[in-house]
Amino acid sequence: MVETALAAAGARGTEVVAILDEVSSAHVRWARNAFTTNGIADDRRLTVVALGAGRPPGVATVSGALTGEAVTAIVAAADAARGRGDEPEPPPPVTTDEGDGWARPPAAPAAGGLPTFAARLAASFRSAAAASHSLHGYAEQRTRTTYVASSAGLRRRHEESSALLDHTVRSTDGTASTWTGTTARELSQLDLDAAYDGARRRLGWWRRRVALPTGEYEVLLTPSCVADLMLRLYKAADARATLDGRTVFAADGGGTRAGERLAPAPLTLHSDPRKPGLECAPFTVARGTGAASVYDNGLPLTRTGWIDRGVLSTLVGGRQVAAGGVPAAPEIGNLVLSAEGGGVGTLDELVARTARGLLVTSLWYLREVDPRSLLLTGLTRDGVYLVEDGEVRAATNPFRFNASPLDVLARVREAGRTEPTLPREHDESTPRTAMPPLRVAGFAMSAVSDAV
């Protein structure tokens, strides 16, 4: 399809980048210890970016069963979508030719592991029903093969596989609830037993409940909570917006805060397309949305540090932004936060060292209040627990909070061992993450919530 698009563009005398995504997914949903839906879907999406002639790029996308006529039409649509203004001189096109891998067919369909996973899940239903628990959730297996080609000679292909488990366990009377999220490459690698055992343990903490007021607390954040916050930080670290003074990373008087210490703790935030277990495309794929520049399609990606031992080192931006005085560092599809030396143990070990604090297990409905300070508001959900003298004493009420991810980093007192995790607020475009549990001082809980 991409070669057909390039030929159609050549006939029009138009320079293009063509991106073909072959996506196969299988999913299952459940509620109250019973399956509700499942499905298998295959999707083919062709994105054409028209470039050149000193005009802004035009983008058109089509999905489904593609014919030659449809491809020709989408090339014409991309050409017609180009802007009328002048476009600054773009960087030179990327012309990497991947070689033999280019001609390989798409990855195998994703449905293979679904029956076995469903059988394991059915066994969990029976265990949960016997314990007066109710299971709700969603799991999926997804494979994606991406082909990127251009009129300038670029040919790149990438294949990846991912699976996720989004799992809520409630008491059958609906008064207690816990959530856990995990990721892996394959459904077969998702540990349902461990997920349920962890949830059952947390449900046990609901036997005693205490009401707590608003205020500042020392909190222990699970890796999932940390992922939700760090992904907001990553999204805000846009170099172009920063140079325009529109992000928290803009320096007073112009420029960026690169080189400034953001966290007293030696925390490092980085992305690496070859990180084992979190592999993602090792080259830029820009479909015309998001921070990535369409001129960088095919640009090779390597490990990039965003925060180095607590110091802001790099912002996210392509080669066009580099002309503004910041290094080119395109967006990468994963994100890892780690502590120097590998961290100080597991979440349970952090709990055991806590004199008094709150264990927050998941965040929900995060919304941006002020982009200039990256202030967020959100809710805790499905389990906040009072920790005293190294033990979880009781479940407590959920809270609304207001916090900036940068302020959270500045208040970190301990970081545990980094592990793959699933942010609570995730979708198809969410980068893969690995995060540690964090001990954070002075976390402001601004209101008590009526939710569970």
Side-chain angles (χ1 to χ4, degrees), residues 39-421:
I40 299 170
D42 294 319
D43 188 22
R44 173 177 289 174
R45 305 172 199 166
L46 176 65
T47 301
V48 177
V49 184
L51 305 168
R55 291 166 53 190
V59 180
T61 301
V62 65
S63 62
L66 302 180
T67 63
E69 290 77 10
V71 173
T72 299
I74 205 66
V75 170
D79 199 7
R82 285 196 291 175
R84 298 299 177 187
D86 293 331
E87 177 75 352
E89 183 67 23
V94 180
T95 58
T96 306
D97 186 340
E98 195 178 47
D100 293 341
W102 173 255
R104 289 169 53 197
L114 193 59
T116 301
F117 182 83
R120 293 164 53 206
L121 190 57
S124 292
F125 293 162
R126 293 189 288 273
S127 298
S132 297
H133 295 158
S134 179
L135 305 188
H136 308 250
Y138 173 82
E140 73 168 26
Q141 172 77 60
R142 181 180 297 271
T143 62
R144 176 190 294 273
T145 307
T146 300
Y147 300 83
V148 183
S150 75
S151 306
L154 172 70
R155 298 290 187 278
R156 297 301 305 265
R157 177 190 181 279
H158 175 69
E159 176 182 318
E160 67 183 44
S161 173
S162 62
L164 67 84
L165 171 65
D166 184 317
H167 199 40
T168 300
V169 183
R170 296 176 181 153
S171 59
T172 51
D173 62 5
T175 59
S177 181
T178 70
W179 178 88
T180 186
T182 56
T183 63
R185 287 181 53 84
E186 308 289 343
L187 280 174
S188 61
Q189 297 169 337
L190 295 173
D191 193 338
L192 269 171
D193 292 338
Y196 179 49
D197 288 346
R200 184 163 48 189
R201 179 186 178 212
R202 290 178 181 176
L203 279 180
W205 294 338
W206 286 77
R207 294 191 188 98
R208 180 167 180 261
R209 306 186 190 194
V210 296
L212 292 176
T214 59
E216 292 189 352
Y217 291 89
E218 178 179 286
V219 298
L220 302 175
L221 299 177
T222 61
S224 173
C225 296
V226 177
D228 275 310
L229 294 172
M230 291 303 104
L231 285 170
R232 293 288 180 151
L233 185 152
Y234 188 40
K235 183 179 179 182
D238 182 279
R240 184 185 296 277
T242 300
L243 291 172
D244 291 342
R246 294 184 282 116
T247 81
V248 69
F249 300 105
D252 294 338
T256 77
R257 295 170 62 186
E260 182 177 327
R261 177 165 291 283
L262 303 178
L267 297 169
T268 293
L269 185 69
H270 80 277
S271 299
D272 184 348
R274 293 181 171 78
K275 178 75 174 177
L278 301 178
E279 294 88 348
C280 58
F283 54 87
T284 293
V285 182
R287 301 175 181 83
T289 58
S293 168
V294 294
Y295 295 112
D296 288 337
N297 267 307
L299 194 68
L301 300 173
T302 59
R303 186 190 190 281
T304 302
W306 312 110
I307 296 175
D308 182 14
R309 302 182 76 251
V311 176
L312 179 63
S313 57
T314 312
L315 296 172
V316 181
R319 293 178 298 166
Q320 280 190 309
V321 176
V326 299
E331 186 177 39
I332 298 172
N334 62 26
L335 191 64
V336 179
L337 182 70
S338 58
E340 190 173 43
V344 291
T346 65
L347 178 62
D348 283 348
E349 290 171 318
L350 264 65
V351 168
R353 290 195 293 271
T354 301
R356 189 172 193 274
L358 298 180
L359 169 59
V360 180
T361 56
S362 79
L363 305 182
W364 183 249
Y365 209 70
L366 290 173
R367 294 294 181 269
E368 194 171 82
V369 177
D370 176 17
R372 187 63 183 81
S373 64
L374 196 54
L375 179 65
L376 307 177
T377 187
L379 297 168
T380 65
R381 185 175 179 182
D382 293 319
V384 182
Y385 306 97
L386 173 64
V387 180
E388 290 181 326
D389 301 324
E391 295 183 4
V392 177
R393 298 295 187 187
T396 187
N397 40 269
F399 292 95
R400 174 168 290 281
F401 63 88
N402 298 308
S404 161
L406 265 71
D407 189 46
V408 169
L409 287 180
R411 294 171 182 268
V412 170
R413 297 296 178 264
E414 260 188 327
R417 186 170 60 234
T418 295
E419 60 185 62
T421 190

